PDB file of all heavy atoms in Angstrom:
ATOM      1  N   LYS A 307     104.876  99.806 151.466  1.00  0.00           N
ATOM      2  CA  LYS A 307     103.949  99.502 152.368  1.00  0.00           C
ATOM      3  C   LYS A 307     103.858  97.909 152.655  1.00  0.00           C
ATOM      4  O   LYS A 307     103.735  97.591 153.790  1.00  0.00           O
ATOM      5  CB  LYS A 307     102.600  99.676 151.636  1.00  0.00           C
ATOM      6  CG  LYS A 307     102.290 101.173 151.337  1.00  0.00           C
ATOM      7  CD  LYS A 307     101.110 101.475 150.435  1.00  0.00           C
ATOM      8  CE  LYS A 307     100.838 102.922 150.215  1.00  0.00           C
ATOM      9  NZ  LYS A 307      99.787 103.242 149.331  1.00  0.00           N
ATOM     10  N   GLY A 319      95.570  99.814 158.023  1.00  0.00           N
ATOM     11  CA  GLY A 319      95.070 100.300 156.787  1.00  0.00           C
ATOM     12  C   GLY A 319      96.129 100.534 155.804  1.00  0.00           C
ATOM     13  O   GLY A 319      95.740 101.030 154.666  1.00  0.00           O
ATOM     14  N   LEU A 320      97.387 100.645 156.068  1.00  0.00           N
ATOM     15  CA  LEU A 320      98.466 100.990 155.124  1.00  0.00           C
ATOM     16  C   LEU A 320      98.443 100.129 153.976  1.00  0.00           C
ATOM     17  O   LEU A 320      98.456 100.690 152.850  1.00  0.00           O
ATOM     18  CB  LEU A 320      99.828 100.938 155.904  1.00  0.00           C
ATOM     19  CG  LEU A 320     100.910 101.522 154.957  1.00  0.00           C
ATOM     20  CD1 LEU A 320     100.757 102.998 154.594  1.00  0.00           C
ATOM     21  CD2 LEU A 320     102.292 101.366 155.681  1.00  0.00           C
ATOM     22  N   LEU A 321      98.328  98.811 154.141  1.00  0.00           N
ATOM     23  CA  LEU A 321      98.446  97.916 152.978  1.00  0.00           C
ATOM     24  C   LEU A 321      97.233  98.040 152.118  1.00  0.00           C
ATOM     25  O   LEU A 321      97.172  98.026 150.858  1.00  0.00           O
ATOM     26  CB  LEU A 321      98.579  96.471 153.347  1.00  0.00           C
ATOM     27  CG  LEU A 321      99.097  95.505 152.415  1.00  0.00           C
ATOM     28  CD1 LEU A 321     100.241  96.070 151.691  1.00  0.00           C
ATOM     29  CD2 LEU A 321      99.361  94.202 153.041  1.00  0.00           C
ATOM     30  N   ASP A 322      96.022  98.403 152.750  1.00  0.00           N
ATOM     31  CA  ASP A 322      94.801  98.539 152.040  1.00  0.00           C
ATOM     32  C   ASP A 322      94.799  99.787 151.228  1.00  0.00           C
ATOM     33  O   ASP A 322      94.122 100.001 150.211  1.00  0.00           O
ATOM     34  CB  ASP A 322      93.584  98.555 152.983  1.00  0.00           C
ATOM     35  CG  ASP A 322      93.226  97.244 153.471  1.00  0.00           C
ATOM     36  OD1 ASP A 322      93.414  96.262 152.723  1.00  0.00           O
ATOM     37  OD2 ASP A 322      92.721  97.254 154.604  1.00  0.00           O
ATOM     38  N   SER A 323      95.737 100.728 151.601  1.00  0.00           N
ATOM     39  CA  SER A 323      95.730 102.110 150.870  1.00  0.00           C
ATOM     40  C   SER A 323      96.379 101.776 149.446  1.00  0.00           C
ATOM     41  O   SER A 323      96.163 102.726 148.598  1.00  0.00           O
ATOM     42  CB  SER A 323      96.617 103.066 151.643  1.00  0.00           C
ATOM     43  OG  SER A 323      97.997 102.744 151.673  1.00  0.00           O
ATOM     44  N   TYR A 324      97.006 100.769 149.292  1.00  0.00           N
ATOM     45  CA  TYR A 324      97.478 100.322 147.921  1.00  0.00           C
ATOM     46  C   TYR A 324      96.327 100.302 146.919  1.00  0.00           C
ATOM     47  O   TYR A 324      96.413 100.959 145.906  1.00  0.00           O
ATOM     48  CB  TYR A 324      98.404  99.109 147.976  1.00  0.00           C
ATOM     49  CG  TYR A 324      98.560  98.573 146.498  1.00  0.00           C
ATOM     50  CD1 TYR A 324      99.350  99.320 145.640  1.00  0.00           C
ATOM     51  CD2 TYR A 324      97.963  97.323 146.059  1.00  0.00           C
ATOM     52  CE1 TYR A 324      99.659  98.748 144.313  1.00  0.00           C
ATOM     53  CE2 TYR A 324      98.268  96.799 144.703  1.00  0.00           C
ATOM     54  CZ  TYR A 324      98.947  97.474 143.941  1.00  0.00           C
ATOM     55  OH  TYR A 324      99.305  97.028 142.659  1.00  0.00           O
ATOM     56  N   HIS A 325      95.253  99.630 147.241  1.00  0.00           N
ATOM     57  CA  HIS A 325      94.131  99.477 146.372  1.00  0.00           C
ATOM     58  C   HIS A 325      93.417 100.855 146.278  1.00  0.00           C
ATOM     59  O   HIS A 325      93.096 101.286 145.174  1.00  0.00           O
ATOM     60  CB  HIS A 325      93.065  98.448 146.865  1.00  0.00           C
ATOM     61  CG  HIS A 325      91.716  98.531 146.120  1.00  0.00           C
ATOM     62  ND1 HIS A 325      91.557  97.668 145.149  1.00  0.00           N
ATOM     63  CD2 HIS A 325      90.694  99.270 146.321  1.00  0.00           C
ATOM     64  CE1 HIS A 325      90.323  97.914 144.659  1.00  0.00           C
ATOM     65  NE2 HIS A 325      89.806  98.858 145.348  1.00  0.00           N
ATOM     66  N   ALA A 326      93.275 101.480 147.421  1.00  0.00           N
ATOM     67  CA  ALA A 326      92.609 102.863 147.524  1.00  0.00           C
ATOM     68  C   ALA A 326      93.186 103.838 146.698  1.00  0.00           C
ATOM     69  O   ALA A 326      92.564 104.586 146.010  1.00  0.00           O
ATOM     70  CB  ALA A 326      92.476 103.221 148.869  1.00  0.00           C
ATOM     71  N   GLU A 327      94.469 103.851 146.591  1.00  0.00           N
ATOM     72  CA  GLU A 327      95.192 104.784 145.619  1.00  0.00           C
ATOM     73  C   GLU A 327      95.470 104.377 144.281  1.00  0.00           C
ATOM     74  O   GLU A 327      95.350 105.196 143.326  1.00  0.00           O
ATOM     75  CB  GLU A 327      96.613 105.103 146.313  1.00  0.00           C
ATOM     76  CG  GLU A 327      96.547 105.716 147.799  1.00  0.00           C
ATOM     77  CD  GLU A 327      97.827 105.932 148.454  1.00  0.00           C
ATOM     78  OE1 GLU A 327      98.789 105.511 147.881  1.00  0.00           O
ATOM     79  OE2 GLU A 327      97.791 106.381 149.672  1.00  0.00           O
ATOM     80  N   TRP A 473     101.251 107.105 158.554  1.00  0.00           N
ATOM     81  CA  TRP A 473     102.015 106.578 157.472  1.00  0.00           C
ATOM     82  C   TRP A 473     103.178 105.692 158.045  1.00  0.00           C
ATOM     83  O   TRP A 473     103.609 104.773 157.318  1.00  0.00           O
ATOM     84  CB  TRP A 473     102.566 107.613 156.586  1.00  0.00           C
ATOM     85  CG  TRP A 473     101.413 108.472 155.844  1.00  0.00           C
ATOM     86  CD1 TRP A 473     101.155 109.748 156.267  1.00  0.00           C
ATOM     87  CD2 TRP A 473     100.493 107.980 155.002  1.00  0.00           C
ATOM     88  NE1 TRP A 473     100.043 110.144 155.477  1.00  0.00           N
ATOM     89  CE2 TRP A 473      99.646 109.183 154.755  1.00  0.00           C
ATOM     90  CE3 TRP A 473     100.356 106.815 154.330  1.00  0.00           C
ATOM     91  CZ2 TRP A 473      98.557 108.988 153.832  1.00  0.00           C
ATOM     92  CZ3 TRP A 473      99.235 106.694 153.483  1.00  0.00           C
ATOM     93  CH2 TRP A 473      98.381 107.817 153.153  1.00  0.00           C
TER      94      TRP A 473
END
Side-chain angles (χ1 to χ4, degrees):
K307 298 173 180 178
L320 182 66
L321 197 51
D322 285 331
S323 74
Y324 167 66
H325 171 94
E327 293 173 5
W473 300 110

